[in-house]
PDB file of all heavy atoms in Angstrom:
ATOM      1  N   VAL A   4      -9.181   6.472 -10.785  1.00 94.00           N
ATOM      2  CA  VAL A   4      -8.391   6.203  -9.592  1.00 94.00           C
ATOM      3  C   VAL A   4      -7.408   5.081  -9.901  1.00 94.00           C
ATOM      4  O   VAL A   4      -7.794   4.026 -10.405  1.00 94.00           O
ATOM      5  CB  VAL A   4      -9.285   5.813  -8.421  1.00 94.00           C
ATOM      6  CG1 VAL A   4      -8.457   5.365  -7.220  1.00 94.00           C
ATOM      7  CG2 VAL A   4     -10.187   6.982  -8.044  1.00 94.00           C
ATOM      8  N   GLN A   5      -6.139   5.314  -9.570  1.00 96.00           N
ATOM      9  CA  GLN A   5      -5.120   4.292  -9.731  1.00 96.00           C
ATOM     10  C   GLN A   5      -4.245   4.250  -8.490  1.00 96.00           C
ATOM     11  O   GLN A   5      -3.830   5.284  -7.972  1.00 96.00           O
ATOM     12  CB  GLN A   5      -4.253   4.551 -10.961  1.00 96.00           C
ATOM     13  CG  GLN A   5      -4.998   4.403 -12.274  1.00 96.00           C
ATOM     14  CD  GLN A   5      -4.076   4.514 -13.474  1.00 96.00           C
ATOM     15  OE1 GLN A   5      -2.898   4.849 -13.343  1.00 96.00           O
ATOM     16  NE2 GLN A   5      -4.613   4.242 -14.645  1.00 96.00           N
ATOM     17  N   LEU A   6      -3.961   3.037  -8.041  1.00 97.00           N
ATOM     18  CA  LEU A   6      -3.071   2.795  -6.917  1.00 97.00           C
ATOM     19  C   LEU A   6      -2.066   1.742  -7.351  1.00 97.00           C
ATOM     20  O   LEU A   6      -2.454   0.672  -7.815  1.00 97.00           O
ATOM     21  CB  LEU A   6      -3.846   2.294  -5.701  1.00 97.00           C
ATOM     22  CG  LEU A   6      -4.963   3.205  -5.179  1.00 97.00           C
ATOM     23  CD1 LEU A   6      -5.787   2.477  -4.118  1.00 97.00           C
ATOM     24  CD2 LEU A   6      -4.382   4.487  -4.593  1.00 97.00           C
ATOM     25  N   VAL A   7      -0.782   2.041  -7.201  1.00 98.00           N
ATOM     26  CA  VAL A   7       0.267   1.143  -7.666  1.00 98.00           C
ATOM     27  C   VAL A   7       1.235   0.881  -6.529  1.00 98.00           C
ATOM     28  O   VAL A   7       1.977   1.777  -6.110  1.00 98.00           O
ATOM     29  CB  VAL A   7       1.009   1.723  -8.882  1.00 98.00           C
ATOM     30  CG1 VAL A   7       2.094   0.753  -9.350  1.00 98.00           C
ATOM     31  CG2 VAL A   7       0.041   2.014 -10.018  1.00 98.00           C
ATOM     32  N   GLU A   8       1.240  -0.358  -6.034  1.00 98.00           N
ATOM     33  CA  GLU A   8       2.125  -0.750  -4.949  1.00 98.00           C
ATOM     34  C   GLU A   8       3.479  -1.193  -5.488  1.00 98.00           C
ATOM     35  O   GLU A   8       3.577  -1.731  -6.596  1.00 98.00           O
ATOM     36  CB  GLU A   8       1.530  -1.905  -4.137  1.00 98.00           C
ATOM     37  CG  GLU A   8       0.190  -1.607  -3.493  1.00 98.00           C
ATOM     38  CD  GLU A   8      -0.977  -2.100  -4.318  1.00 98.00           C
ATOM     39  OE1 GLU A   8      -0.834  -2.241  -5.552  1.00 98.00           O
ATOM     40  OE2 GLU A   8      -2.048  -2.354  -3.724  1.00 98.00           O
ATOM     41  N   SER A   9       4.506  -1.006  -4.675  1.00 98.00           N
ATOM     42  CA  SER A   9       5.839  -1.479  -5.004  1.00 98.00           C
ATOM     43  C   SER A   9       6.618  -1.695  -3.719  1.00 98.00           C
ATOM     44  O   SER A   9       6.199  -1.273  -2.643  1.00 98.00           O
ATOM     45  CB  SER A   9       6.574  -0.502  -5.919  1.00 98.00           C
ATOM     46  OG  SER A   9       6.754   0.753  -5.284  1.00 98.00           O
ATOM     47  N   GLY A  10       7.763  -2.358  -3.828  1.00 98.00           N
ATOM     48  CA  GLY A  10       8.655  -2.521  -2.699  1.00 98.00           C
ATOM     49  C   GLY A  10       8.670  -3.887  -2.060  1.00 98.00           C
ATOM     50  O   GLY A  10       9.474  -4.142  -1.154  1.00 98.00           O
ATOM     51  N   GLY A  11       7.803  -4.775  -2.506  1.00 98.00           N
ATOM     52  CA  GLY A  11       7.792  -6.112  -1.952  1.00 98.00           C
ATOM     53  C   GLY A  11       8.999  -6.920  -2.399  1.00 98.00           C
ATOM     54  O   GLY A  11       9.772  -6.513  -3.259  1.00 98.00           O
ATOM     55  N   GLY A  12       9.155  -8.080  -1.786  1.00 98.00           N
ATOM     56  CA  GLY A  12      10.261  -8.951  -2.128  1.00 98.00           C
ATOM     57  C   GLY A  12      10.446 -10.034  -1.100  1.00 98.00           C
ATOM     58  O   GLY A  12       9.588 -10.262  -0.247  1.00 98.00           O
ATOM     59  N   LEU A  13      11.581 -10.701  -1.188  1.00 98.00           N
ATOM     60  CA  LEU A  13      11.952 -11.770  -0.276  1.00 98.00           C
ATOM     61  C   LEU A  13      12.886 -11.220   0.799  1.00 98.00           C
ATOM     62  O   LEU A  13      13.886 -10.559   0.482  1.00 98.00           O
ATOM     63  CB  LEU A  13      12.643 -12.896  -1.040  1.00 98.00           C
ATOM     64  CG  LEU A  13      13.199 -14.059  -0.225  1.00 98.00           C
ATOM     65  CD1 LEU A  13      12.077 -14.811   0.475  1.00 98.00           C
ATOM     66  CD2 LEU A  13      13.992 -14.990  -1.132  1.00 98.00           C
ATOM     67  N   VAL A  14      12.570 -11.499   2.042  1.00 98.00           N
ATOM     68  CA  VAL A  14      13.379 -11.021   3.151  1.00 98.00           C
ATOM     69  C   VAL A  14      13.456 -12.103   4.222  1.00 98.00           C
ATOM     70  O   VAL A  14      12.530 -12.903   4.380  1.00 98.00           O
ATOM     71  CB  VAL A  14      12.799  -9.704   3.720  1.00 98.00           C
ATOM     72  CG1 VAL A  14      11.426  -9.927   4.337  1.00 98.00           C
ATOM     73  CG2 VAL A  14      13.757  -9.061   4.711  1.00 98.00           C
ATOM     74  N   GLN A  15      14.564 -12.139   4.942  1.00 98.00           N
ATOM     75  CA  GLN A  15      14.722 -13.101   6.029  1.00 98.00           C
ATOM     76  C   GLN A  15      13.947 -12.663   7.265  1.00 98.00           C
ATOM     77  O   GLN A  15      13.702 -11.468   7.463  1.00 98.00           O
ATOM     78  CB  GLN A  15      16.199 -13.255   6.384  1.00 98.00           C
ATOM     79  CG  GLN A  15      17.035 -13.893   5.294  1.00 98.00           C
ATOM     80  CD  GLN A  15      18.475 -14.112   5.718  1.00 98.00           C
ATOM     81  OE1 GLN A  15      18.929 -13.583   6.719  1.00 98.00           O
ATOM     82  NE2 GLN A  15      19.198 -14.904   4.946  1.00 98.00           N
ATOM     83  N   PRO A  16      13.552 -13.617   8.108  1.00 98.00           N
ATOM     84  CA  PRO A  16      12.920 -13.226   9.372  1.00 98.00           C
ATOM     85  C   PRO A  16      13.790 -12.239  10.145  1.00 98.00           C
ATOM     86  O   PRO A  16      15.012 -12.385  10.214  1.00 98.00           O
ATOM     87  CB  PRO A  16      12.784 -14.552  10.115  1.00 98.00           C
ATOM     88  CG  PRO A  16      12.702 -15.567   9.022  1.00 98.00           C
ATOM     89  CD  PRO A  16      13.628 -15.065   7.942  1.00 98.00           C
ATOM     90  N   GLY A  17      13.134 -11.239  10.709  1.00 98.00           N
ATOM     91  CA  GLY A  17      13.838 -10.176  11.405  1.00 98.00           C
ATOM     92  C   GLY A  17      14.239  -9.015  10.525  1.00 98.00           C
ATOM     93  O   GLY A  17      14.661  -7.971  11.046  1.00 98.00           O
ATOM     94  N   GLY A  18      14.092  -9.156   9.225  1.00 98.00           N
ATOM     95  CA  GLY A  18      14.455  -8.111   8.295  1.00 98.00           C
ATOM     96  C   GLY A  18      13.382  -7.058   8.134  1.00 98.00           C
ATOM     97  O   GLY A  18      12.344  -7.091   8.799  1.00 98.00           O
ATOM     98  N   SER A  19      13.638  -6.130   7.214  1.00 98.00           N
ATOM     99  CA  SER A  19      12.751  -4.998   6.997  1.00 98.00           C
ATOM    100  C   SER A  19      12.490  -4.783   5.521  1.00 98.00           C
ATOM    101  O   SER A  19      13.322  -5.100   4.670  1.00 98.00           O
ATOM    102  CB  SER A  19      13.365  -3.714   7.564  1.00 98.00           C
ATOM    103  OG  SER A  19      13.544  -3.796   8.962  1.00 98.00           O
ATOM    104  N   LEU A  20      11.328  -4.229   5.228  1.00 98.00           N
ATOM    105  CA  LEU A  20      10.965  -3.769   3.895  1.00 98.00           C
ATOM    106  C   LEU A  20      10.143  -2.503   4.030  1.00 98.00           C
ATOM    107  O   LEU A  20       9.433  -2.321   5.018  1.00 98.00           O
ATOM    108  CB  LEU A  20      10.131  -4.808   3.142  1.00 98.00           C
ATOM    109  CG  LEU A  20      10.817  -6.049   2.582  1.00 98.00           C
ATOM    110  CD1 LEU A  20       9.753  -7.013   2.045  1.00 98.00           C
ATOM    111  CD2 LEU A  20      11.799  -5.688   1.485  1.00 98.00           C
ATOM    112  N   ARG A  21      10.218  -1.654   3.012  1.00 98.00           N
ATOM    113  CA  ARG A  21       9.336  -0.499   2.922  1.00 98.00           C
ATOM    114  C   ARG A  21       8.508  -0.613   1.655  1.00 98.00           C
ATOM    115  O   ARG A  21       9.051  -0.651   0.547  1.00 98.00           O
ATOM    116  CB  ARG A  21      10.113   0.813   2.909  1.00 98.00           C
ATOM    117  CG  ARG A  21       9.205   2.032   2.680  1.00 98.00           C
ATOM    118  CD  ARG A  21       9.945   3.344   2.753  1.00 98.00           C
ATOM    119  NE  ARG A  21      10.182   3.726   4.139  1.00 98.00           N
ATOM    120  CZ  ARG A  21      10.696   4.892   4.512  1.00 98.00           C
ATOM    121  NH1 ARG A  21      11.044   5.785   3.589  1.00 98.00           N
ATOM    122  NH2 ARG A  21      10.878   5.147   5.794  1.00 98.00           N
ATOM    123  N   LEU A  22       7.199  -0.655   1.815  1.00 98.00           N
ATOM    124  CA  LEU A  22       6.284  -0.678   0.695  1.00 98.00           C
ATOM    125  C   LEU A  22       5.829   0.733   0.370  1.00 98.00           C
ATOM    126  O   LEU A  22       5.674   1.569   1.263  1.00 98.00           O
ATOM    127  CB  LEU A  22       5.055  -1.532   1.010  1.00 98.00           C
ATOM    128  CG  LEU A  22       5.318  -2.963   1.489  1.00 98.00           C
ATOM    129  CD1 LEU A  22       3.988  -3.690   1.660  1.00 98.00           C
ATOM    130  CD2 LEU A  22       6.232  -3.710   0.534  1.00 98.00           C
ATOM    131  N   SER A  23       5.593   0.986  -0.908  1.00 98.00           N
ATOM    132  CA  SER A  23       5.079   2.267  -1.366  1.00 98.00           C
ATOM    133  C   SER A  23       3.821   2.052  -2.182  1.00 98.00           C
ATOM    134  O   SER A  23       3.669   1.030  -2.847  1.00 98.00           O
ATOM    135  CB  SER A  23       6.114   2.992  -2.233  1.00 98.00           C
ATOM    136  OG  SER A  23       7.292   3.264  -1.514  1.00 98.00           O
ATOM    137  N   CYS A  24       2.931   3.017  -2.138  1.00 98.00           N
ATOM    138  CA  CYS A  24       1.736   3.013  -2.969  1.00 98.00           C
ATOM    139  C   CYS A  24       1.594   4.387  -3.590  1.00 98.00           C
ATOM    140  O   CYS A  24       1.362   5.375  -2.876  1.00 98.00           O
ATOM    141  CB  CYS A  24       0.502   2.663  -2.137  1.00 98.00           C
ATOM    142  SG  CYS A  24      -1.058   2.785  -3.034  1.00 98.00           S
ATOM    143  N   ALA A  25       1.743   4.450  -4.899  1.00 98.00           N
ATOM    144  CA  ALA A  25       1.616   5.703  -5.636  1.00 98.00           C
ATOM    145  C   ALA A  25       0.186   5.860  -6.116  1.00 98.00           C
ATOM    146  O   ALA A  25      -0.356   4.971  -6.775  1.00 98.00           O
ATOM    147  CB  ALA A  25       2.577   5.710  -6.818  1.00 98.00           C
ATOM    148  N   ALA A  26      -0.421   6.992  -5.796  1.00 97.00           N
ATOM    149  CA  ALA A  26      -1.828   7.236  -6.089  1.00 97.00           C
ATOM    150  C   ALA A  26      -1.991   8.295  -7.169  1.00 97.00           C
ATOM    151  O   ALA A  26      -1.205   9.244  -7.261  1.00 97.00           O
ATOM    152  CB  ALA A  26      -2.562   7.678  -4.831  1.00 97.00           C
ATOM    153  N   SER A  27      -3.042   8.146  -7.967  1.00 97.00           N
ATOM    154  CA  SER A  27      -3.384   9.139  -8.969  1.00 97.00           C
ATOM    155  C   SER A  27      -4.879   9.067  -9.261  1.00 97.00           C
ATOM    156  O   SER A  27      -5.540   8.092  -8.913  1.00 97.00           O
ATOM    157  CB  SER A  27      -2.573   8.949 -10.258  1.00 97.00           C
ATOM    158  OG  SER A  27      -2.838   7.687 -10.844  1.00 97.00           O
ATOM    159  N   GLY A  28      -5.406  10.102  -9.894  1.00 95.00           N
ATOM    160  CA  GLY A  28      -6.799  10.115 -10.298  1.00 95.00           C
ATOM    161  C   GLY A  28      -7.761  10.698  -9.281  1.00 95.00           C
ATOM    162  O   GLY A  28      -8.971  10.714  -9.520  1.00 95.00           O
ATOM    163  N   PHE A  29      -7.248  11.168  -8.172  1.00 94.00           N
ATOM    164  CA  PHE A  29      -8.069  11.812  -7.153  1.00 94.00           C
ATOM    165  C   PHE A  29      -7.176  12.722  -6.322  1.00 94.00           C
ATOM    166  O   PHE A  29      -5.948  12.641  -6.417  1.00 94.00           O
ATOM    167  CB  PHE A  29      -8.800  10.786  -6.278  1.00 94.00           C
ATOM    168  CG  PHE A  29      -7.895   9.877  -5.495  1.00 94.00           C
ATOM    169  CD1 PHE A  29      -7.689  10.073  -4.134  1.00 94.00           C
ATOM    170  CD2 PHE A  29      -7.256   8.805  -6.107  1.00 94.00           C
ATOM    171  CE1 PHE A  29      -6.868   9.227  -3.405  1.00 94.00           C
ATOM    172  CE2 PHE A  29      -6.428   7.951  -5.389  1.00 94.00           C
ATOM    173  CZ  PHE A  29      -6.238   8.167  -4.031  1.00 94.00           C
ATOM    174  N   THR A  30      -7.802  13.572  -5.531  1.00 95.00           N
ATOM    175  CA  THR A  30      -7.041  14.511  -4.719  1.00 95.00           C
ATOM    176  C   THR A  30      -6.571  13.794  -3.460  1.00 95.00           C
ATOM    177  O   THR A  30      -7.256  13.771  -2.436  1.00 95.00           O
ATOM    178  CB  THR A  30      -7.875  15.747  -4.395  1.00 95.00           C
ATOM    179  OG1 THR A  30      -8.397  16.302  -5.602  1.00 95.00           O
ATOM    180  CG2 THR A  30      -7.011  16.801  -3.706  1.00 95.00           C
ATOM    181  N   PHE A  31      -5.405  13.217  -3.567  1.00 95.00           N
ATOM    182  CA  PHE A  31      -4.877  12.303  -2.561  1.00 95.00           C
ATOM    183  C   PHE A  31      -4.918  12.888  -1.158  1.00 95.00           C
ATOM    184  O   PHE A  31      -5.271  12.164  -0.201  1.00 95.00           O
ATOM    185  CB  PHE A  31      -3.444  11.924  -2.948  1.00 95.00           C
ATOM    186  CG  PHE A  31      -2.745  11.007  -1.997  1.00 95.00           C
ATOM    187  CD1 PHE A  31      -2.990   9.649  -2.026  1.00 95.00           C
ATOM    188  CD2 PHE A  31      -1.830  11.507  -1.085  1.00 95.00           C
ATOM    189  CE1 PHE A  31      -2.331   8.797  -1.160  1.00 95.00           C
ATOM    190  CE2 PHE A  31      -1.159  10.664  -0.217  1.00 95.00           C
ATOM    191  CZ  PHE A  31      -1.416   9.297  -0.256  1.00 95.00           C
ATOM    192  N   ARG A  32      -4.583  14.119  -0.971  1.00 95.00           N
ATOM    193  CA  ARG A  32      -4.446  14.701   0.357  1.00 95.00           C
ATOM    194  C   ARG A  32      -5.748  14.769   1.137  1.00 95.00           C
ATOM    195  O   ARG A  32      -5.727  15.022   2.344  1.00 95.00           O
ATOM    196  CB  ARG A  32      -3.809  16.086   0.270  1.00 95.00           C
ATOM    197  CG  ARG A  32      -4.679  17.134  -0.393  1.00 95.00           C
ATOM    198  CD  ARG A  32      -3.920  18.451  -0.482  1.00 95.00           C
ATOM    199  NE  ARG A  32      -4.719  19.508  -1.076  1.00 95.00           N
ATOM    200  CZ  ARG A  32      -4.820  19.745  -2.379  1.00 95.00           C
ATOM    201  NH1 ARG A  32      -4.172  18.980  -3.249  1.00 95.00           N
ATOM    202  NH2 ARG A  32      -5.572  20.740  -2.822  1.00 95.00           N
ATOM    203  N   TYR A  33      -6.889  14.561   0.475  1.00 95.00           N
ATOM    204  CA  TYR A  33      -8.182  14.589   1.145  1.00 95.00           C
ATOM    205  C   TYR A  33      -8.641  13.222   1.640  1.00 95.00           C
ATOM    206  O   TYR A  33      -9.681  13.135   2.301  1.00 95.00           O
ATOM    207  CB  TYR A  33      -9.272  15.116   0.211  1.00 95.00           C
ATOM    208  CG  TYR A  33      -9.125  16.551  -0.222  1.00 95.00           C
ATOM    209  CD1 TYR A  33      -9.689  16.978  -1.429  1.00 95.00           C
ATOM    210  CD2 TYR A  33      -8.454  17.487   0.553  1.00 95.00           C
ATOM    211  CE1 TYR A  33      -9.575  18.290  -1.844  1.00 95.00           C
ATOM    212  CE2 TYR A  33      -8.337  18.806   0.143  1.00 95.00           C
ATOM    213  CZ  TYR A  33      -8.901  19.199  -1.058  1.00 95.00           C
ATOM    214  OH  TYR A  33      -8.790  20.507  -1.467  1.00 95.00           O
ATOM    215  N   TYR A  34      -7.902  12.156   1.360  1.00 95.00           N
ATOM    216  CA  TYR A  34      -8.436  10.817   1.560  1.00 95.00           C
ATOM    217  C   TYR A  34      -7.670   9.978   2.577  1.00 95.00           C
ATOM    218  O   TYR A  34      -6.438   9.969   2.630  1.00 95.00           O
ATOM    219  CB  TYR A  34      -8.495  10.069   0.213  1.00 95.00           C
ATOM    220  CG  TYR A  34      -9.602  10.591  -0.655  1.00 95.00           C
ATOM    221  CD1 TYR A  34      -9.411  11.706  -1.455  1.00 95.00           C
ATOM    222  CD2 TYR A  34     -10.861   9.994  -0.631  1.00 95.00           C
ATOM    223  CE1 TYR A  34     -10.436  12.213  -2.223  1.00 95.00           C
ATOM    224  CE2 TYR A  34     -11.892  10.500  -1.397  1.00 95.00           C
ATOM    225  CZ  TYR A  34     -11.668  11.609  -2.189  1.00 95.00           C
ATOM    226  OH  TYR A  34     -12.694  12.113  -2.953  1.00 95.00           O
ATOM    227  N   PHE A  35      -8.460   9.268   3.360  1.00 95.00           N
ATOM    228  CA  PHE A  35      -8.020   8.219   4.257  1.00 95.00           C
ATOM    229  C   PHE A  35      -7.425   7.078   3.425  1.00 95.00           C
ATOM    230  O   PHE A  35      -7.983   6.694   2.399  1.00 95.00           O
ATOM    231  CB  PHE A  35      -9.268   7.752   5.014  1.00 95.00           C
ATOM    232  CG  PHE A  35      -9.076   6.778   6.119  1.00 95.00           C
ATOM    233  CD1 PHE A  35      -8.830   7.217   7.413  1.00 95.00           C
ATOM    234  CD2 PHE A  35      -9.222   5.424   5.893  1.00 95.00           C
ATOM    235  CE1 PHE A  35      -8.724   6.315   8.451  1.00 95.00           C
ATOM    236  CE2 PHE A  35      -9.113   4.518   6.921  1.00 95.00           C
ATOM    237  CZ  PHE A  35      -8.856   4.977   8.210  1.00 95.00           C
ATOM    238  N   MET A  36      -6.289   6.532   3.846  1.00 97.00           N
ATOM    239  CA  MET A  36      -5.640   5.443   3.129  1.00 97.00           C
ATOM    240  C   MET A  36      -5.409   4.258   4.051  1.00 97.00           C
ATOM    241  O   MET A  36      -5.200   4.422   5.255  1.00 97.00           O
ATOM    242  CB  MET A  36      -4.295   5.892   2.549  1.00 97.00           C
ATOM    243  CG  MET A  36      -4.389   7.010   1.515  1.00 97.00           C
ATOM    244  SD  MET A  36      -5.266   6.514  -0.011  1.00 97.00           S
ATOM    245  CE  MET A  36      -4.170   5.241  -0.641  1.00 97.00           C
ATOM    246  N   THR A  37      -5.426   3.070   3.468  1.00 98.00           N
ATOM    247  CA  THR A  37      -5.219   1.852   4.242  1.00 98.00           C
ATOM    248  C   THR A  37      -4.305   0.887   3.498  1.00 98.00           C
ATOM    249  O   THR A  37      -4.169   0.941   2.278  1.00 98.00           O
ATOM    250  CB  THR A  37      -6.547   1.125   4.525  1.00 98.00           C
ATOM    251  OG1 THR A  37      -7.198   0.804   3.294  1.00 98.00           O
ATOM    252  CG2 THR A  37      -7.470   1.986   5.373  1.00 98.00           C
ATOM    253  N   TRP A  38      -3.681   0.010   4.270  1.00 98.00           N
ATOM    254  CA  TRP A  38      -2.974  -1.153   3.751  1.00 98.00           C
ATOM    255  C   TRP A  38      -3.695  -2.408   4.228  1.00 98.00           C
ATOM    256  O   TRP A  38      -4.040  -2.520   5.410  1.00 98.00           O
ATOM    257  CB  TRP A  38      -1.525  -1.208   4.232  1.00 98.00           C
ATOM    258  CG  TRP A  38      -0.596  -0.260   3.557  1.00 98.00           C
ATOM    259  CD1 TRP A  38      -0.202   0.959   3.994  1.00 98.00           C
ATOM    260  CD2 TRP A  38       0.088  -0.489   2.311  1.00 98.00           C
ATOM    261  NE1 TRP A  38       0.685   1.524   3.114  1.00 98.00           N
ATOM    262  CE2 TRP A  38       0.881   0.663   2.069  1.00 98.00           C
ATOM    263  CE3 TRP A  38       0.107  -1.538   1.392  1.00 98.00           C
ATOM    264  CZ2 TRP A  38       1.688   0.778   0.927  1.00 98.00           C
ATOM    265  CZ3 TRP A  38       0.906  -1.413   0.264  1.00 98.00           C
ATOM    266  CH2 TRP A  38       1.675  -0.266   0.046  1.00 98.00           C
ATOM    267  N   TYR A  39      -3.901  -3.328   3.303  1.00 98.00           N
ATOM    268  CA  TYR A  39      -4.427  -4.651   3.590  1.00 98.00           C
ATOM    269  C   TYR A  39      -3.412  -5.694   3.153  1.00 98.00           C
ATOM    270  O   TYR A  39      -2.492  -5.402   2.372  1.00 98.00           O
ATOM    271  CB  TYR A  39      -5.728  -4.907   2.826  1.00 98.00           C
ATOM    272  CG  TYR A  39      -6.955  -4.201   3.357  1.00 98.00           C
ATOM    273  CD1 TYR A  39      -7.150  -2.844   3.156  1.00 98.00           C
ATOM    274  CD2 TYR A  39      -7.940  -4.915   4.039  1.00 98.00           C
ATOM    275  CE1 TYR A  39      -8.283  -2.205   3.620  1.00 98.00           C
ATOM    276  CE2 TYR A  39      -9.085  -4.285   4.503  1.00 98.00           C
ATOM    277  CZ  TYR A  39      -9.244  -2.933   4.291  1.00 98.00           C
ATOM    278  OH  TYR A  39     -10.380  -2.304   4.753  1.00 98.00           O
ATOM    279  N   ARG A  40      -3.595  -6.915   3.629  1.00 98.00           N
ATOM    280  CA  ARG A  40      -2.795  -8.021   3.128  1.00 98.00           C
ATOM    281  C   ARG A  40      -3.653  -9.269   3.012  1.00 98.00           C
ATOM    282  O   ARG A  40      -4.667  -9.407   3.699  1.00 98.00           O
ATOM    283  CB  ARG A  40      -1.576  -8.289   4.006  1.00 98.00           C
ATOM    284  CG  ARG A  40      -1.895  -8.803   5.402  1.00 98.00           C
ATOM    285  CD  ARG A  40      -0.616  -8.905   6.224  1.00 98.00           C
ATOM    286  NE  ARG A  40      -0.867  -9.432   7.558  1.00 98.00           N
ATOM    287  CZ  ARG A  40       0.041  -9.493   8.518  1.00 98.00           C
ATOM    288  NH1 ARG A  40       1.283  -9.065   8.286  1.00 98.00           N
ATOM    289  NH2 ARG A  40      -0.281  -9.990   9.708  1.00 98.00           N
ATOM    290  N   GLN A  41      -3.231 -10.168   2.140  1.00 98.00           N
ATOM    291  CA  GLN A  41      -3.934 -11.420   1.958  1.00 98.00           C
ATOM    292  C   GLN A  41      -2.915 -12.537   1.772  1.00 98.00           C
ATOM    293  O   GLN A  41      -2.125 -12.521   0.825  1.00 98.00           O
ATOM    294  CB  GLN A  41      -4.878 -11.368   0.760  1.00 98.00           C
ATOM    295  CG  GLN A  41      -5.760 -12.595   0.637  1.00 98.00           C
ATOM    296  CD  GLN A  41      -6.888 -12.399  -0.353  1.00 98.00           C
ATOM    297  OE1 GLN A  41      -6.788 -11.582  -1.265  1.00 98.00           O
ATOM    298  NE2 GLN A  41      -7.968 -13.146  -0.173  1.00 98.00           N
ATOM    299  N   ALA A  42      -2.946 -13.494   2.673  1.00 97.00           N
ATOM    300  CA  ALA A  42      -2.104 -14.674   2.593  1.00 97.00           C
ATOM    301  C   ALA A  42      -2.868 -15.793   1.895  1.00 97.00           C
ATOM    302  O   ALA A  42      -4.104 -15.804   1.898  1.00 97.00           O
ATOM    303  CB  ALA A  42      -1.673 -15.114   3.985  1.00 97.00           C
ATOM    304  N   PRO A  43      -2.159 -16.755   1.304  1.00 92.00           N
ATOM    305  CA  PRO A  43      -2.851 -17.865   0.635  1.00 92.00           C
ATOM    306  C   PRO A  43      -3.821 -18.576   1.565  1.00 92.00           C
ATOM    307  O   PRO A  43      -3.476 -18.920   2.695  1.00 92.00           O
ATOM    308  CB  PRO A  43      -1.706 -18.789   0.217  1.00 92.00           C
ATOM    309  CG  PRO A  43      -0.532 -17.878   0.075  1.00 92.00           C
ATOM    310  CD  PRO A  43      -0.704 -16.854   1.160  1.00 92.00           C
ATOM    311  N   GLY A  44      -5.045 -18.781   1.083  1.00 94.00           N
ATOM    312  CA  GLY A  44      -6.054 -19.477   1.857  1.00 94.00           C
ATOM    313  C   GLY A  44      -6.720 -18.662   2.938  1.00 94.00           C
ATOM    314  O   GLY A  44      -7.551 -19.203   3.679  1.00 94.00           O
ATOM    315  N   LYS A  45      -6.380 -17.396   3.048  1.00 96.00           N
ATOM    316  CA  LYS A  45      -6.956 -16.546   4.073  1.00 96.00           C
ATOM    317  C   LYS A  45      -7.663 -15.347   3.456  1.00 96.00           C
ATOM    318  O   LYS A  45      -7.397 -14.971   2.321  1.00 96.00           O
ATOM    319  CB  LYS A  45      -5.876 -16.057   5.042  1.00 96.00           C
ATOM    320  CG  LYS A  45      -5.226 -17.158   5.854  1.00 96.00           C
ATOM    321  CD  LYS A  45      -4.272 -16.589   6.880  1.00 96.00           C
ATOM    322  CE  LYS A  45      -3.671 -17.680   7.747  1.00 96.00           C
ATOM    323  NZ  LYS A  45      -2.750 -17.119   8.773  1.00 96.00           N
TER     324      LYS A  45
END
């Protein structure tokens, strides 16, 4: 199983970004997917 995120960067408040996660090693269409985040100290 491999998951590779991309699309992050620096943006001003009020701006937009689109993140992508490319999956391999399993039959992707059968699986529930989630996004998590972790800020420093949290």
Side-chain angles (χ1 to χ4, degrees):
V4 173
Q5 293 186 352
L6 302 171
V7 180
E8 300 96 335
S9 62
L13 175 64
V14 65
Q15 293 184 347
S19 297
L20 285 173
R21 175 176 281 187
L22 306 184
S23 299
C24 174
S27 62
F29 62 103
T30 307
F31 179 80
R32 68 183 182 273
Y33 295 154
Y34 287 84
F35 187 89
M36 297 295 296
T37 58
W38 284 97
Y39 285 75
R40 67 185 182 187
Q41 187 167 25
K45 295 186 177 181

